[in-house]
Amino acid sequence: MNRLTLPAAWRRHLPADAQTGLYAAFVGLLLVCGSIALLADVPGWWLVPFVVPAAVALLHDWRWAYYLLLFSLAFSHEIHLPNGLSTDIPSEPLMLLVTGCCLAALISGAIRLPRRLLAHPLVLLVILAWLWAATSMLVSVDTLKSVKYLLAKTWYLIPFGLVTWLVVQRPAHVWRVVGCYTLGVALSTLYSVVRHAGSGFTFDTIHDAVQPFYRNHVIYAATLALLIPYAWYAARAAHTRWGRRLWLGAFWLFMFGVFTSYTRASILAVVLSVGFYYIIRWRLTRLVLIGSALATLLAVVYFVQQNKYLLYAPDYEKTVFYGDNFEKHLEATYKLEDVSGMERLYRWVAAARMFHDKPITGTGPSTFYPEYKHYTVKSFRTYVSDNPERSTTHNYFLLLLAEQGLPGLLLFVLLLSTALLLIERLYHQSAAPALRNIVLAAGLSFYIIVFHLLLNELVEVDKIGSFFFIALVILIRVQEWVSQPAASLLEEEAAARI
């Protein structure tokens, strides 16, 4: 049977190469859709010429959506929805897109998960924590909020957990993933720093300076703080002078941003991360974890015995916020007269009483607000206790205890302990400097995030929670790489740079 061929006169008008053909197809699609939009007065048709190429690219290789998600995290903005729900734009729709692509690839058999991944202790603990959250949801005081939490947790875990594991195949890929996020954060930080400079870098203007990309100065500072170890060790791992300069530039920019944010927790976390480096170097992680557990237990016994916690109720008249003076703000902190610190006590007491009421299942995921108001003690009340921003405990451990009961807290603590011990073990097993740089970057960043959880609940914040799970995946990958011969690892690195 003869092949169908076009007449020679027609073939002369066809594009000479594929790139010209694609451009001609795009222009044609733009003209057709633009004409329909004008004639039918339906502006939505203008989107078709851009959505169609994006969909084709997505079908060809959906990893670009993952990298776009990482870049967009720095610019995501929370939008409140009816019934007390909220979403982050554009990050959450992109999480859904990446989740859908990954699930489709799994169902079609395009990708397969090895048993060693599913059997890894970190992966098992994350799955168990998700299953317990689902169990707690069944008896939630607000089922709608708990269902939304569980769904959101799912499209957090798949993009930042599973997809990261699929993308990060070699050590060089770690810096590519981190670099994509660092670029977005660096741009948003420059924007915030310029705005803050206009007011003289004063304490009372930092909140407005970080808008609209960061909800408040705490999230801004925590985001920069978690990237500081990555920027430092990426500079040490860089193979070109310009690469080293760019990473060092990001490092100093983030350091400057943290210290001019006047965020006590972030400044302290960065400083103490140096101490954590020596803890893992001197193999003291296990002792520190045991000591922390004993100190926490003794503190609980002390405060609960004969209701001694009531002795620490603040003086309503003296509990103030020095919004224009950072030195007085620090002074009020150690005198227990700072309103933000005392408001934390107000909510911590409520969280403890919520746990006492429902110690096993808790009140259900994402139900602390407004449920905690039924458990508050008036003597701890401050003038900001009305809580118009609907924030929660300002302590992620107590939040889990109140919302998911003791099993939820224990699973999370076990996850953290396993990860911290793995960081120490991998540090000493990593003979290659390339792997040790990655372990220290991910390990110190993970420590900084965990430190913030003592005073804030940031795992559910897309800018920070994303790298909580990414750090876990990096540790899992490094554990695989340390078992490879050094020569094989160097060959793979060289191939990745070509």
Side-chain angles (χ1 to χ4, degrees):
M1 185 175 180
N2 295 331
R3 294 177 60 187
L4 180 64
T5 57
L6 295 174
W10 290 16
R11 290 199 302 271
R12 285 197 299 268
H13 297 288
L14 292 176
D17 52 61
Q19 291 182 348
T20 305
L22 289 173
Y23 177 74
F26 173 75
V27 172
L29 187 63
L30 184 64
L31 290 173
V32 171
C33 294
S35 301
I36 296 174
L38 292 173
L39 294 173
D41 195 22
V42 181
W45 277 94
W46 286 107
L47 296 175
V48 174
F50 303 97
V51 172
V52 169
V56 172
L58 189 65
L59 291 172
H60 176 68
D61 186 354
W62 51 269
R63 286 178 299 179
W64 69 266
Y66 171 77
Y67 288 112
L68 180 61
L69 167 61
L70 290 176
F71 178 77
S72 73
L73 285 173
F75 308 100
S76 64
H77 181 70
E78 185 180 33
I79 294 178
H80 292 283
L81 303 174
N83 300 317
L85 302 178
S86 63
T87 187
D88 296 302
I89 301 297
S91 62
E92 203 153 5
L94 284 171
M95 288 181 210
L96 280 167
L97 177 63
V98 174
T99 299
C101 291
C102 183
L103 291 177
L106 282 171
I107 294 170
S108 66
I111 56 175
R112 296 182 183 277
L113 301 180
R115 289 184 178 180
R116 70 178 187 278
L117 174 65
L118 299 177
H120 195 281
L122 293 178
V123 176
L124 287 175
L125 287 169
V126 168
I127 293 173
L128 287 173
W130 187 92
L131 290 173
W132 182 255
T135 304
S136 178
M137 177 196 69
L138 299 176
V139 292
S140 173
V141 297
D142 191 331
T143 305
L144 180 61
K145 283 186 177 180
S146 296
V147 169
K148 167 61 168 66
Y149 168 90
L150 205 63
L151 291 174
K153 199 73 171 180
T154 303
W155 58 70
Y156 261 69
L157 291 175
I158 292 179
F160 302 122
L162 179 56
V163 176
T164 300
W165 186 85
L166 292 169
V167 168
V168 177
Q169 299 288 329
R170 301 185 182 95
H173 296 165
V174 171
W175 305 122
R176 187 183 302 169
V177 167
V178 175
C180 200
Y181 185 44
T182 300
L183 176 60
V185 173
L187 292 175
S188 63
T189 302
L190 286 171
Y191 172 83
S192 301
V193 167
V194 170
R195 293 191 68 194
H196 199 195
S199 58
F201 293 107
T202 55
F203 177 43
D204 58 331
T205 58
I206 179 62
H207 178 80
D208 293 332
V210 302
Q211 302 295 325
F213 302 127
Y214 299 90
R215 193 186 312 165
N216 51 52
H217 71 102
V218 174
I219 293 176
Y220 167 73
T223 302
L224 305 191
L226 75 87
L227 282 174
I228 285 173
Y230 282 112
W232 176 255
Y233 286 103
R236 296 186 63 176
H239 296 280
T240 64
R241 182 181 299 177
W242 277 108
R244 190 174 298 109
R245 287 176 177 176
L246 288 172
W247 280 113
L248 284 176
F251 171 82
W252 289 114
L253 174 65
F254 297 156
M255 287 286 284
F256 181 81
V258 167
F259 281 89
T260 56
S261 71
Y262 305 101
T263 307
R264 296 161 295 180
S266 298
I267 294 172
L268 192 58
V270 171
V271 173
L272 292 180
S273 64
V274 178
F276 181 68
Y277 164 77
Y278 287 101
I279 287 173
I280 62 176
R281 183 175 178 177
W282 296 336
R283 303 178 188 268
L284 298 174
T285 305
R286 194 179 303 274
L287 289 176
V288 171
L289 289 173
I290 294 172
S292 300
L294 289 175
T296 302
L297 183 61
L298 290 174
V300 169
V301 171
Y302 171 80
F303 285 112
V304 171
Q305 191 176 23
Q306 297 179 349
N307 292 330
K308 285 183 181 177
Y309 72 92
L310 294 172
L311 299 175
Y312 295 86
D315 186 335
Y316 186 89
E317 299 298 329
K318 291 183 179 180
T319 306
V320 293
F321 174 64
Y322 293 97
D324 56 348
N325 192 317
F326 187 60
E327 291 182 3
K328 289 186 176 180
H329 184 54
L330 291 177
E331 183 181 350
T333 300
Y334 68 77
K335 287 184 176 180
L336 300 181
E337 294 177 353
D338 167 50
V339 69
S340 63
M342 294 302 99
E343 179 62 21
R344 280 183 168 86
L345 283 181
Y346 178 69
R347 300 183 195 179
W348 292 355
V349 170
R353 299 182 74 194
M354 290 171 70
F355 163 69
H356 184 266
D357 188 36
K358 296 184 178 182
I360 303 301
T361 59
T363 58
S366 194
T367 59
F368 184 82
Y369 182 93
E371 188 67 16
Y372 82 98
K373 293 188 176 183
H374 304 302
Y375 297 88
T376 57
V377 176
K378 289 185 178 180
S379 58
F380 284 84
R381 185 176 175 82
T382 69
Y383 72 86
V384 296
S385 293
D386 289 339
N387 193 12
E389 71 277 11
R390 299 183 177 186
S391 56
T392 59
T393 55
H394 292 293
N395 182 298
Y396 192 70
F397 301 92
L398 286 174
L399 180 68
L400 287 175
L401 194 64
E403 292 186 346
Q404 299 182 35
L406 186 60
L409 174 65
L410 291 178
L411 284 170
F412 186 72
V413 170
L414 190 56
L415 173 67
L416 296 186
S417 302
T418 304
L420 293 172
L421 289 170
L422 180 60
I423 291 167
E424 180 182 281
R425 188 163 71 252
L426 292 176
Y427 171 80
H428 292 283
Q429 289 178 348
S430 302
L435 292 185
R436 183 164 286 189
N437 286 333
I438 293 173
V439 171
L440 288 172
L444 295 180
S445 177
F446 186 78
Y447 163 79
I448 287 173
I449 295 173
V450 172
F451 184 88
H452 278 87
L453 299 183
L454 296 170
L455 297 170
N456 296 281
E457 55 289 325
L458 299 177
V459 173
E460 319 306 338
V461 177
D462 57 353
K463 290 178 171 64
I464 295 124
S466 55
F467 265 72
F468 177 87
F469 295 111
I470 287 174
L472 295 177
V473 172
I474 290 173
L475 295 176
I476 293 172
R477 275 300 191 188
V478 173
Q479 194 171 13
E480 298 172 6
W481 296 330
V482 293
S483 61
Q484 296 181 16
S488 172
L489 195 64
L490 288 173
E491 288 177 4
E492 289 185 0
E493 281 293 276
R497 294 196 298 269
I498 294 176

